[in-house]
Structures are given as structure tokens and as C-alpha cells.
Amino acid sequence: MSSVLSNNAHAYPELLLSSWFCSLTESHQQSLLSASRPVDLVAREYLFHRGDTFNGLFVLLTGSLWISGLDSAGKEIGLTVIKPGEWFGEIALFDGQQRTHDVLASEPCRLLQMPANKLNSLIAADSEWWPRFGRLLTAKVRLLFQNIEDRSQPSAAVRVARKLYEFVLRAPESSARIDIEMGQEQFGQLVSLSRQKTNQQLKYLESQQVIALEYGKISIISMSKLKRFAQIS
């Protein structure tokens, strides 16, 4: 792990995928980067576990991370996937409690970490960081409510289409095609459907030329058709 990090935000183009980061002034962006250090994970390596002590804020640069919990029987439940440009870990910053879920590298990943002590120093020097981090947290809350609403959809077809559309919203605006590196069983966990039911719905969307399926990958090829199937105006 290298401790040398450029203070130039544009040296990490993935950071510019985050509307939250882009909303900060250049000096605030540089303050975050000055407090950061790179972290590399191999595939299937955990970044942290549920119950771990807060160790800072993270942003993903490359790869993808799987956030999961456990059901009453102790079985893993997939909650969401973190993609490049996404910041996370701020819940424990606010309440000082332990980590809420496991975070696992689905593939080799590179991240930036703002260690807890550096974050505390940043906030002590400028209390306006609290509302800035608050906006990051409230964006997650809005997404959580939308996910709850989408999972309650009785139609499996709409549920699958809306989860796919969530990846569209999290992608760069210039993207004409969205590639989701994820197997169907893993995707099924995100929408609370069996692998068989998930496969049926994805195959149907593929037949309608909404998506293209490959082993371990789902590609969205028609945004307009996807919005129609997701019943999004």
C-alpha cells in the first residue's frame, strides 16, 4: 500500500463521477484528498465487516464492492453494489457506532480511504464539513427509500427493470451502454428473487432488446425501453 497520493482531483477521474464530490469547492476537494491514502483489495477480500470499529470514509476508484447482511437464518443477503465514484462509510461517522454491514470486493479494487483521525481533524478545523457529509448521507437515505418501494413491487418484471435502472442513474451521463459486472444469482439477491425467476425476467428483457446478457455481466443497451419496462415516466 502506497502512502503517496497526488492532491490533484483530476488525477482520479473516477472522483468526478460523484455529484457530491463535484459539488464541493476545489479547496474542499483538495482537503479530502490530502487526508486520503490508497487501498487495494484482491477479489473476495473484505474491506470491513459488520461490527467493526469506524475506520474512515471511502471512495471506490476501480472495481466493484458488494454490501451484504444476514437474514434470520444466517444466510447472506445482498443489499447493494458500490461502483466507481461512490463514497461510503459515512453512517458510522455520524453516530460513532460500529459498521452496519459487510463490504466485500467482487473483483480487484482500488479505493481511497480518509482515515477516522484525519476526518475528525478536518471537521474540528471546519464544522461546515458536517452539513457537507450530511448531504452525502441523505442521498443514501433517499435511495434506500426508493429501494424499499421497488422491492415491494408485486411485479417481478418491474422490480428487475427498476433495479437495472438504478445502475443507469449511478452511471456517467455520457454512457450510452451500461455494463454491470454481476452474475444473475447475485443480481437476484438485490431484487429478492430466486435465480430461476431472475433468469426468466432478464431473458425476457434480452428478447426485447433492452439488455444483453453474458456470463457474469448484464449490459443495458436501451435506456428508453428500460424506463418503459420500469414504469418510469
Side-chain angles (χ1 to χ4, degrees):
M1 180 188 301
S2 171
S3 60
V4 178
L5 183 63
S6 168
N7 287 338
N8 183 359
H10 296 282
Y12 302 93
E14 298 85 1
L15 297 178
L16 303 180
L17 299 176
S18 167
S19 58
W20 176 78
F21 183 79
C22 290
S23 72
L24 301 176
T25 66
E26 186 173 351
S27 63
H28 290 134
Q29 291 176 358
Q30 299 304 333
S31 294
L32 276 182
L33 289 179
S34 297
S36 304
R37 64 186 184 192
V39 174
D40 293 294
L41 300 176
V42 299
R44 306 300 300 171
E45 181 179 359
Y46 281 93
L47 178 64
F48 53 74
H49 295 273
R50 178 198 294 266
D52 283 354
T53 301
F54 175 65
N55 61 341
L57 188 68
F58 294 87
V59 58
L60 182 64
L61 298 178
T62 61
S64 62
L65 293 164
W66 178 248
I67 297 185
S68 64
L70 297 174
D71 64 14
S72 58
K75 181 181 178 182
E76 182 184 59
I77 304 173
L79 299 176
T80 191
V81 174
I82 297 174
K83 305 298 287 183
E86 295 189 41
W87 296 76
F88 62 98
E90 71 279 1
I91 292 177
L93 170 65
F94 279 86
D95 63 14
Q97 300 298 308
Q98 299 170 330
R99 293 297 191 185
T100 58
H101 295 90
D102 297 333
V103 177
L104 175 72
S106 303
E107 57 187 307
C109 295
R110 168 155 273 219
L111 309 93
L112 296 181
Q113 176 190 15
M114 277 58 56
N117 62 327
K118 296 289 185 68
L119 279 174
N120 290 333
S121 296
L122 207 65
I123 294 168
D126 180 3
S127 61
E128 284 302 307
W129 275 108
W130 280 122
R132 295 180 191 115
F133 289 132
R135 286 191 291 273
L136 181 62
L137 180 63
T138 53
K140 303 283 183 61
V141 174
R142 288 179 181 275
L143 183 59
L144 174 62
F145 282 141
Q146 185 61 55
N147 283 335
I148 293 172
E149 182 180 327
D150 291 346
R151 283 197 181 205
S152 67
Q153 274 285 337
S155 167
V158 174
R159 204 185 309 173
V160 167
R162 287 192 176 182
K163 177 55 68 173
L164 290 170
Y165 190 67
E166 180 185 318
F167 285 91
V168 173
L169 296 177
R170 293 158 59 188
E173 292 184 4
S174 59
S175 300
R177 173 185 173 118
I178 309 299
D179 292 326
I180 306 169
E181 303 289 342
M182 186 184 302
Q184 293 184 26
E185 183 173 0
Q186 193 178 31
F187 183 81
Q189 290 185 41
L190 297 180
V191 290
S192 302
L193 294 173
S194 68
R195 188 185 188 284
Q196 181 180 11
K197 190 70 172 179
T198 301
N199 178 262
Q200 290 174 352
Q201 298 302 326
L202 291 175
K203 286 290 188 183
Y204 178 70
L205 290 176
E206 183 178 43
S207 73
Q208 300 300 303
Q209 299 182 317
V210 179
I211 63 174
L213 297 174
E214 298 178 42
Y215 180 76
K217 183 166 74 172
I218 306 167
S219 298
I220 301 169
I221 57 179
S222 174
M223 309 302 175
S224 59
K225 289 182 179 180
L226 180 61
K227 287 182 69 174
R228 178 159 53 85
F229 280 99
Q231 299 180 3
I232 296 173
S233 59

